[in-house]
Amino acid sequence: MARSLNEWLWQHEFWLPPGITWEDMKESEDVHYPQPHDLLLSIPFALILIVIRYFFERTVALPLSGKLGVRDKLRPKAQPNPVLETFYTTHCKNPKEGELINLAKQCDLPVRKVERWFRRRRNTDRPSLSKKFCEACWRFIFYIISFFTGLAVLYDKPWLWDHRECWTGYPQQPLQTSLFWYYLLELSFYCSLVFTLPFDVKRKDFKEQIVHHAATIFLISFSYCANYIRIGTLVMVIHDASDCFLEPTKILNYMKWKKTCNCLFMIFSAVFLISRLVIYPYTVLYNTYYYSMEIFQPFFGYYFVNVLLMTLQLLHVFWSCLIIHMVYKFTLQGTMEKDMRSDTDESDKDEETEKVQEKEKNGITHFNNITSKNCIQRNGSQQQNKRTHLTNGHAKDR
């Protein structure tokens, strides 16, 4: 059955244009074409990248965060409570009002304290500022390396300047060694992101990130097997261009360098919107949808690769809306709004609000106590003055 499935999967009608078979893609001593089994190398390389990342974050990024003044916020810990802990780990982390009331009855605690326990317990699981700093540093280093590697590989390639060259001689386009290693670097990195996804910082667009990583891995893998190498390299270098500005923006934000962070975010916004909403549709989408038809007729691989590219474009539109909203807020208020993709400070804000309310309550109580004492003292002195006046008056009458 496995053999039949393998034969069905690798039918040339799925991967190659009409009139081309796998016999036409056989390698020789001088000509090498992409081979699907080459992609298996991405798994050990992804594990190597994870090891390199671990040592980089521990030996370089973490000490650097301390020197740059990145300090983790001290959050109060939740007191040990087996009942609440069991509910937290097995049911949900943010119980509803009815569940809070039931848990309060079980623990013989006020609902307010149970709600505070869950808020502090969630804070314990939230990533620290130093962890986010280390993750941003690692991604910044990789994106810089991959972007300039892509430029070094593509600067003398004709399809970088004339996009129709992506389809000249397709699919019989020999695989160059530099393109192979560039592909392997990118695919290994995104595989490593999938492996570390449960341990990385989770944001509000966590599901979109999963879709993005899956679409990217499928796109890189399929484009390699179907020899869409030229169009694939354009996709990768376009994406790395804006990511080179995103990660240092996060780093500056964690360092509390607000003005520099705001300036760099505006640069990132411009690069992202231009590269993802202008250059990418023209260079990639229009190229694969129209220019490729000048060479061959549509087939399964043509439709499949365009679906993957359109999925990426939909994610670009989603993130562009978030960025435009942040820029709009910045132009109106003059200050950069916090990352809308992150929900890290949500519970902390509730905790701080509660503390402010308690301080205000204590302040009102203190004010009332002082007022009451002053009134008592004032009323006491007035009564004493009245007694003195009456006594003096009585003496005068006498």
Side-chain angles (χ1 to χ4, degrees):
M1 182 176 179
R3 183 178 180 181
S4 300
L5 180 62
N6 185 63
E7 292 178 354
W8 174 83
L9 178 62
W10 294 106
Q11 295 182 67
H12 62 83
E13 291 86 355
F14 292 162
W15 302 88
L16 301 175
I20 304 294
T21 65
W22 291 116
E23 294 293 329
D24 301 319
M25 301 295 295
K26 284 187 176 180
E27 295 186 322
S28 63
E29 295 182 358
D30 300 328
V31 178
H32 298 280
Y33 294 115
Q35 300 299 320
H37 60 77
D38 295 340
L39 299 177
L40 296 176
L41 292 174
S42 62
I43 297 178
F45 274 88
L47 298 177
I48 292 174
L49 285 178
I50 293 175
V51 173
I52 295 174
R53 172 184 175 177
Y54 176 82
F55 284 102
F56 171 81
E57 291 184 353
R58 295 298 180 276
T59 60
V60 179
L62 190 59
L64 184 62
S65 66
K67 293 182 179 180
L68 295 178
V70 179
R71 298 288 183 267
D72 294 333
K73 184 179 295 184
L74 296 177
R75 300 188 177 108
K77 294 183 179 180
Q79 296 180 354
N81 191 309
V83 176
L84 299 181
E85 184 67 29
T86 302
F87 186 90
Y88 181 86
T89 54
T90 59
H91 290 79
C92 70
K93 299 181 180 180
N94 195 1
K96 298 180 181 179
E97 184 177 357
E99 295 172 332
L100 288 173
I101 295 174
N102 293 332
L103 290 171
K105 291 179 180 179
Q106 295 178 24
C107 301
D108 194 19
L109 292 173
V111 178
R112 191 72 173 177
K113 287 189 176 181
V114 175
E115 186 179 3
R116 182 184 301 173
W117 187 94
F118 276 94
R119 181 160 52 247
R120 292 181 175 180
R121 184 64 179 85
R122 288 193 299 268
N123 286 341
T124 305
D125 290 343
R126 296 186 186 279
S128 62
L129 201 62
S130 59
K131 180 181 179 180
K132 293 191 289 185
F133 178 88
C134 293
E135 180 180 317
C137 286
W138 165 250
R139 297 195 181 198
F140 172 61
I141 293 297
F142 176 82
Y143 288 135
I144 284 291
I145 294 175
S146 62
F147 177 66
F148 284 101
T149 299
L151 292 181
V153 169
L154 296 177
Y155 83 97
D156 60 343
K157 302 299 186 295
W159 63 86
L160 180 63
W161 315 106
D162 185 3
H163 305 321
R164 281 187 168 87
E165 288 293 327
C166 290
W167 312 108
T168 301
Y170 179 83
Q172 295 171 312
Q173 297 172 339
L175 176 63
Q176 301 179 17
T177 305
S178 59
L179 298 178
F180 166 75
W181 287 109
Y182 181 45
Y183 248 75
L184 186 62
L185 175 67
E186 292 278 354
L187 181 58
S188 301
F189 175 72
Y190 283 102
C191 288
S192 69
L193 290 184
V194 172
F195 295 156
T196 60
L197 203 58
F199 312 102
D200 290 339
V201 177
K202 292 181 176 62
R203 305 181 186 275
K204 288 183 178 180
D205 62 345
F206 179 73
K207 295 180 180 179
E208 289 81 5
Q209 285 286 347
I210 294 177
V211 174
H212 174 269
H213 295 341
T216 302
I217 291 174
F218 275 115
L219 181 59
I220 293 176
S221 302
F222 182 82
S223 63
Y224 185 86
C225 295
N227 205 11
Y228 281 103
I229 299 292
R230 298 184 178 184
I231 199 69
T233 54
L234 294 179
V235 173
M236 293 187 293
V237 76
I238 289 173
H239 280 72
D240 291 339
S242 59
D243 291 333
C244 291
F245 293 95
L246 174 61
E247 301 306 327
T249 303
K250 294 180 182 179
I251 293 173
L252 293 173
N253 182 44
Y254 303 147
M255 293 168 55
K256 308 299 181 183
W257 290 17
K258 296 300 182 182
K259 293 184 178 180
T260 310
C261 174
N262 293 342
C263 294
L264 193 57
F265 179 81
M266 298 302 291
I267 297 175
F268 157 74
S269 302
V271 175
F272 185 94
L273 296 176
I274 293 174
S275 61
R276 305 292 180 93
L277 300 183
V278 179
I279 298 178
Y280 177 83
Y282 173 71
T283 304
V284 177
L285 296 182
Y286 188 84
N287 192 1
T288 55
Y289 192 79
Y290 289 105
Y291 288 165
S292 59
M293 293 296 94
E294 298 176 358
I295 307 299
F296 54 81
Q297 295 299 316
F299 63 106
F300 175 81
Y302 165 82
Y303 295 112
F304 186 71
V305 74
N306 275 283
V307 168
L308 294 177
L309 293 174
M310 283 302 302
T311 302
L312 287 181
Q313 183 60 22
L314 292 177
L315 292 172
H316 297 165
V317 174
F318 169 77
W319 285 315
S320 297
C321 292
L322 297 181
I323 292 172
I324 292 173
H325 181 74
M326 294 178 68
V327 173
Y328 176 73
K329 289 287 186 181
F330 176 72
T331 55
L332 288 182
Q333 301 176 358
T335 56
M336 186 63 64
E337 185 178 301
K338 291 184 178 181
D339 189 358
M340 297 174 60
R341 299 169 51 222
S342 177
D343 59 351
T344 304
D345 296 331
E346 184 179 355
S347 290
D348 292 339
K349 184 177 180 181
D350 296 338
E351 185 81 21
E352 292 172 0
T353 303
E354 184 178 340
K355 290 180 180 179
V356 171
Q357 291 176 352
E358 290 179 356
K359 288 181 180 179
E360 291 177 352
K361 183 178 179 181
N362 295 333
I364 293 173
T365 304
H366 180 66
F367 176 76
N368 290 334
N369 292 336
I370 294 175
T371 306
S372 300
K373 290 180 180 178
N374 291 336
C375 291
I376 293 172
Q377 291 177 358
R378 188 164 54 251
N379 293 334
S381 61
Q382 288 176 357
Q383 292 176 1
Q384 186 176 0
N385 291 335
K386 288 181 179 179
R387 290 195 188 99
T388 305
H389 179 70
L390 291 173
T391 304
N392 293 337
H394 180 68
K396 185 175 181 180
D397 291 340
R398 284 184 178 180

